[in-house]
Each structure stands twice: as C-alpha cells, then as structure tokens.
Amino acid sequence: ILSKTLALVGNPNSGKTTLFNNLTGSKQYVGNWPGVTVERKGGKLKKHDGFEVMDLPGIYSLSPYSPEEVITRNYLLEENPDVIVNIVDGSNLERNLYLTMQLLEMGCKVVVALNMMDLVRANGDVLDTELLSKELGCPVVPITATSGEGVEQLVARAVQIAQTQCDRKDPNSFSEEVERVLQEIGEMVAPMPHIERRWQLVKVLERDGQLLEKLKLSQGVFDKLEVLITRFEQQADDDAASIIASGRYQKIDSMLRSCYKSANVDYANTVS
Ligand code: GDP
Ligand code: K
Ligand code: MG
C-alpha cells in the first residue's frame, strides 16, 4: 500500500523526468490526467516502501492559464501530497524560483532540489545553498540528476519532511501597500477549509477566476472587493497581478544577491 506521496514539481526542462527515473527506476506507470492529453506519470520510490512519486507537468507558474498549470495546481490543492520536491534548474535560478515562491505561498511542504549543479560548477558560479534555504524557509539540497549526485540526501530529506507537520513561516512579505490591501481583503472574505489563508488572499487580489468561483461570494461582497482592488491599482498605477508578480521577483532578486555569485553577472554588485 502506498501511503505517502512525493510530488515532483518544476519548470519544463528542469530535469524532472531525469530525477523521476532516478527515484523510481523501472517501477513506473503512465497514463493521462482525466479529460486532457497531458501525461500522468507515477512510480514507486526506490528503497522506501509506501512512497509514491508523481511527476507533475512542467510549469512556470501556478496561475490557472494552461492545462498543465490547472492540473498541477488542482493536484496540489486536492490531493495534498505529503511532500513536494520542487526541482529547480540551478543554472537558471531567477526564473525557476518564481514557481518556488508560489509553492511556498500555497503553504506546501517543499524541499528544493537544486539541480544542474554540474553546470553551475562548470560555469564557475558559486551558490550558498544553506543561505538560500534560510531565505526561502525550506530545505535546499544540491543535486545533479543526470549523475545521481545528491539524490540520496534529497530523498532522505523529502522522506523526513513527508513525515512532519508544516511549520514554515511565509518567506515573502510584499510591500506595505500590498500587505495593507491583503489585510483589508481578509476582513471581507472568510477563510476556506484546507486552503492556506495567505495564498487565498493573494489569489483574490490577483482576481484569480478559479479561486473566486470556489469562494462563492455574494454580489455585494464581490462588488466591494472590486472597488477595493481597483482603488489599490489606481494608487499603484499597475494591475494587481503584475504588482504581486514583481513582489515575488523582488524577493528572488534580493535572495540571489546574497546567495549567488555568477561568473558572468554579479548579483551583489548590480543595481536594480
Ligand atoms: P523535464 O522537462 O523537467 O522532465 O527535464 P528532463 O529530465 O527531460 O531534462 C531536460 C534536459 O536536461 C535533458 O537533456 C537532461 O539530460 C538534462 N539534465 C537533467 N538534469 C541534469 C543535470 O543535473 N545536469 C545536466 N548537465 N543536465 C541535466
Ligand atoms: K523535456
Ligand atoms: Mg519531463
């Protein structure tokens, strides 16, 4: 009986399939997600009886815009995996960490598998994974999926996290203005069961259609929210979704400044 689930989440080409094959060996099964032609792949975790590994579709974001994003997001919300291994291309950190920020916002139990470490080293880049782990508020394990380097440590960490409760604090605070409007939204909408409160509020601010539908707000509350969000956007002179996106990128930028030294771009010495 498979009683625990480890879900692999990452950008396309981050090395998910390579890691999946490494984790499961030949114990794999392939199908499709209900209603769509997106491949659904599962397998048994080698050497850890009772653990199932799910290879989720490659995505850049968790907004419900593509079938891949919808599948992954609904899977995370509804199936509530015991641990997420977020595979991150270490040679393309800024873009890959954007998804990480969103997984953490969702309140997921995340272990970051910092992949392509062979390329990072070959490029002459230096990455402080301990500091990155501290900044993100979740474990970060450097790996090279193609050679298997670090994978044993990754699995040990993931199995450990799967067996514990989530006690992570939200790693990202947005600007004062965003935090204020999130608080105001919180006074207008009730919490949803099994949904991270902060993620819910951010999604309402982003006018996330899928979440708003599930919230089933009265027309009166919906109209008041729209007034609040529109006023916020006018003051900020930008749309809410873009403001949230740049808040995430600001955090990534500040993390990379302290954790990452590229042979080409020196984050510590660039001016934003
Ligand atoms: P997916 O799209 O996330 O499933 O990524 P794949 O597993 O298909 O990998 C994409 C490409 O990256 C393939 O050519 C892999 O061989 C390569 N790759 C994956 N992991 C590593 C790694 O750690 N180092 C290097 N150099 N290449 C890797
Ligand atoms: K691929
Ligand atoms: Mg793949």
Side-chain angles (χ1 to χ4, degrees):
I1 297 169
L2 300 172
S3 55
K4 297 266 183 203
T5 309
L6 183 161
L8 276 181
V9 179
N11 288 11
N13 292 317
S14 58
K16 265 181 326 89
T17 298
T18 309
L19 179 61
F20 178 80
N21 290 340
N22 197 317
L23 294 177
T24 60
S26 56
K27 300 170 181 172
Q28 299 184 3
Y29 40 90
V30 182
N32 276 333
W33 294 92
V36 287
T37 56
V38 177
E39 188 179 81
R40 179 186 170 118
K41 241 167 55 175
K44 287 184 192 171
L45 183 60
K46 280 193 290 187
K47 295 183 207 153
H48 290 271
D49 284 344
F51 268 83
E52 180 184 34
V53 186
M54 284 298 303
D55 185 15
L56 293 171
I59 49 167
Y60 295 106
S61 176
L62 283 166
S63 321
Y65 293 131
S66 68
E68 287 81 5
E69 287 176 351
V70 173
I71 288 167
T72 303
R73 177 168 141 156
N74 287 345
Y75 179 87
L76 297 179
L77 288 174
E78 287 156 21
E79 306 290 321
N80 198 20
D82 299 286
V83 60
I84 292 172
V85 170
N86 171 212
I87 182 158
V88 159
D89 176 354
S91 67
N92 209 336
L93 273 174
E94 189 172 19
R95 190 173 70 187
N96 278 251
L97 288 174
Y98 188 70
L99 179 61
T100 310
M101 299 301 295
Q102 294 177 73
L103 292 169
L104 293 171
E105 270 168 28
M106 271 179 109
C108 299
K109 289 196 285 181
V110 177
V111 176
V112 169
L114 199 61
N115 193 30
M116 314 260 181
M117 285 307 290
D118 58 332
L119 293 183
V120 171
R121 281 191 297 261
N123 289 340
D125 299 345
V126 180
L127 191 50
D128 186 338
T129 51
E130 256 173 63
L131 189 54
L132 182 61
S133 163
K134 217 172 127 204
E135 294 267 346
L136 286 169
C138 73
V140 174
V141 183
I143 67 164
T144 297
T146 39
S147 72
E149 180 199 323
V151 173
E152 207 174 308
Q153 289 89 329
L154 173 68
V155 170
R157 207 62 217 274
V159 165
Q160 180 196 22
I161 297 283
Q163 281 151 349
T164 60
Q165 292 296 311
C166 184
D167 62 349
R168 189 182 44 75
K169 292 190 294 280
D170 190 283
N172 193 22
S173 47
F174 294 97
S175 68
E176 234 173 86
E177 292 76 16
V178 173
E179 292 297 334
R180 198 178 313 127
V181 76
L182 289 175
Q183 195 180 334
E184 286 175 304
I185 292 170
E187 286 156 16
M188 294 163 72
V189 301
M192 297 159 89
H194 313 298
I195 300 271
E196 180 80 14
R197 177 67 165 162
R198 186 172 174 83
W199 185 76
Q200 180 201 359
L201 300 179
V202 169
K203 291 290 129 182
V204 171
L205 179 55
E206 287 178 321
R207 293 194 187 81
D208 184 291
Q210 200 187 17
L211 184 104
L212 285 171
E213 210 170 285
K214 283 201 186 120
L215 257 177
K216 299 196 189 345
L217 299 170
S218 70
Q219 191 63 43
V221 173
F222 186 85
D223 292 345
K224 273 199 217 159
L225 270 177
E226 193 47 43
V227 170
L228 176 71
I229 295 171
T230 305
R231 196 185 60 212
F232 163 74
E233 289 176 319
Q234 281 165 352
Q235 282 166 357
D237 196 23
D238 204 350
D239 66 284
S242 306
I243 294 165
I244 292 292
S246 41
R248 292 184 189 125
Y249 277 117
Q250 269 165 24
K251 169 73 179 182
I252 292 169
D253 200 54
S254 98
M255 285 190 297
L256 291 182
R257 276 163 197 276
S258 56
C259 303
Y260 184 66
K261 204 166 181 317
S262 163
N264 300 314
V265 185
D266 188 351
Y267 273 98
N269 290 315
T270 49
V271 181
S272 65

